[in-house]
Amino acid sequence: MERRAKTKYKPIHLAREDTSNLNIDINHDINRRIAEATVGVTPLVRGVWSAIEVGAIVARTSDTIDIISADDDQDRKFSQRSKRYGPHSSLYARGAPFKAQIHLDLLCFFSPYHRAALKGVFLEAQHNTVILEMDPVCCDIFVKWHYTGCVPNDDPWALCQLYILADQNENLALRRAILTQIVNVNFAPDLNDSNTAAVVSSLPENSALTRYLLDRTSYHQRAETIQIHTDMPVEFVETLKELIKKPRHWLDDCPCCNKPCNYHEHNTVEDWKLSCAESGSYPMPEPAYLRAEI
Ligand SMILES: [Zn+2]
Ligand SMILES: [Zn+2]
């Protein structure tokens, strides 16, 4: 069964350009309201989902915005895939539209991209819509994550689809949650699959998911030759060649298994202590994976 990743998102450079046009006043207002709503806790997005912060935002604000799915993958493949998604699949019949509401401030709290993109909406309109080019199951997870912090899915391609969205929306907390799940399901990519090539092509070169895919392959692939799809970006192939040349101590020493914080884009150990260390579940990132060290 062929599965394919969506690649029709807004180009990353345009998304970043939008963000660079952030409306300072709106941000200030949102940050002030969040700060007021989270008295006693650090009023900053620490890159992790927090029940205290989310609860405070939801309690203090009532503006919501519609989220709909604009997925056009309503063919037989999608029908087959949807059966594999577990409990969520029963919520959406094939072809059924997805629509949900989300608190505007919550969406903006985690995503500077949405903060920038919705600045006009925030000021002027009451009824507006965010269209996500993902299938309904992924849209459902996207909305639920904002309220629960959970990514209840173990399908790697759904997770990759969500990760690409989180990358383009600059949603670090969601990226971290997804990568934790990808590490937990021990995603082993087939580099000769066009889906893998599409995912890598949709991400910036320094993406943490790309690095996971490189590590998972270079540390675990024991075959003499590695088949790579012709659509795989040249930079990815070159980096993989370099990694494979290095001596490896195989599985005991790999950076990928059970170490999601290596792929959480932690800048420093301090950053890790303020975010993931509080949950106490995962080991500290290795020095080579701290962004400030790269
Ligand atoms: Zn590993
Ligand atoms: Zn972490």
Side-chain angles (χ1 to χ4, degrees):
M1 176 173 61
E2 187 187 346
R3 289 164 290 186
R4 67 190 172 91
K6 305 291 290 181
T7 56
K8 295 184 300 183
Y9 300 114
K10 193 169 191 175
I12 189 70
H13 68 280
L14 291 181
R16 298 214 191 288
E17 214 169 84
D18 282 351
T19 304
S20 70
N21 295 327
L22 274 172
N23 182 309
I24 302 298
D25 292 338
I26 298 288
N27 281 332
H28 179 76
D29 189 45
I30 289 176
N31 286 333
R32 180 182 56 75
R33 289 163 65 183
I34 289 169
E36 284 174 4
T38 54
V39 173
V41 298
T42 310
L44 297 169
V45 181
R46 294 166 299 132
V48 286
W49 187 93
S50 151
I52 294 173
E53 289 168 333
V54 168
I57 293 165
V58 171
R60 291 283 298 237
T61 64
S62 57
D63 291 343
T64 59
I65 193 161
D66 290 337
I67 302 276
I68 64 169
S69 165
D71 180 47
D72 59 359
D73 191 16
Q74 303 291 352
D75 55 18
R76 189 170 296 174
K77 289 173 204 154
F78 174 72
S79 176
Q80 288 171 353
R81 283 177 55 193
S82 66
K83 291 192 179 79
R84 302 174 55 252
Y85 282 124
H88 292 288
S89 60
S90 62
L91 295 175
Y92 304 107
R94 180 183 174 196
F98 173 90
K99 187 173 178 183
Q101 286 192 324
I102 189 168
H103 283 79
L104 186 58
D105 279 2
L106 194 55
L107 188 66
C108 294
F109 180 68
F110 287 110
S111 165
Y113 168 81
H114 277 124
R115 222 179 295 165
L118 297 173
K119 60 185 178 184
V121 174
F122 188 78
L123 281 178
E124 298 159 11
Q126 297 299 316
H127 302 290
N128 284 283
T129 303
V130 169
I131 300 169
L132 301 179
E133 290 197 27
M134 296 192 298
D135 67 47
V137 173
C138 289
C139 290
D140 185 47
I141 298 168
F142 176 80
V143 173
K144 284 180 177 163
W145 172 82
H146 281 82
Y147 291 94
T148 65
C150 295
V151 180
N153 193 290
D154 57 8
D155 181 285
W157 300 113
L159 295 172
C160 287
Q161 200 179 149
L162 270 168
Y163 188 91
I164 291 167
L165 181 81
D167 182 73
Q168 298 198 336
N169 291 349
E170 303 182 337
N171 188 331
L172 175 61
L174 180 55
R175 287 203 300 279
R176 286 176 170 171
I178 295 165
L179 255 172
T180 298
Q181 190 74 341
I182 283 176
V183 170
N184 284 343
V185 302
N186 208 11
F187 177 37
D190 174 2
L191 299 190
N192 202 24
D193 186 333
S194 61
N195 298 305
T196 315
V199 169
V200 175
S201 301
S202 302
L203 293 168
E205 211 180 319
N206 67 348
S207 161
L209 176 56
T210 303
R211 188 151 189 201
Y212 170 82
L213 299 177
L214 286 165
D215 285 344
R216 190 65 180 70
T217 304
S218 65
Y219 277 87
H220 291 257
Q221 179 62 264
R222 291 165 184 255
E224 285 289 312
T225 55
I226 299 174
Q227 300 289 332
I228 299 178
H229 196 274
T230 49
D231 290 345
M232 193 66 80
V234 174
E235 301 78 15
F236 182 91
V237 179
E238 293 302 317
T239 307
L240 183 62
K241 280 182 186 169
E242 290 303 312
L243 287 172
I244 284 183
K245 279 184 200 164
K246 292 182 182 173
R248 287 161 288 167
H249 304 289
W250 300 114
L251 306 184
D252 287 347
D253 218 17
C254 79
C256 37
C257 300
N258 304 314
K259 297 171 189 164
C261 283
N262 278 345
Y263 307 99
H264 281 173
E265 308 169 49
H266 293 297
N267 282 319
T268 60
V269 172
E270 277 308 305
D271 165 36
W272 175 76
K273 285 178 180 169
L274 289 171
S275 51
C276 292
E278 284 185 6
S279 71
S281 308
Y282 301 112
M284 193 165 73
E286 296 163 24
Y289 289 80
L290 294 171
R291 292 274 162 151
E293 306 283 327
I294 296 173

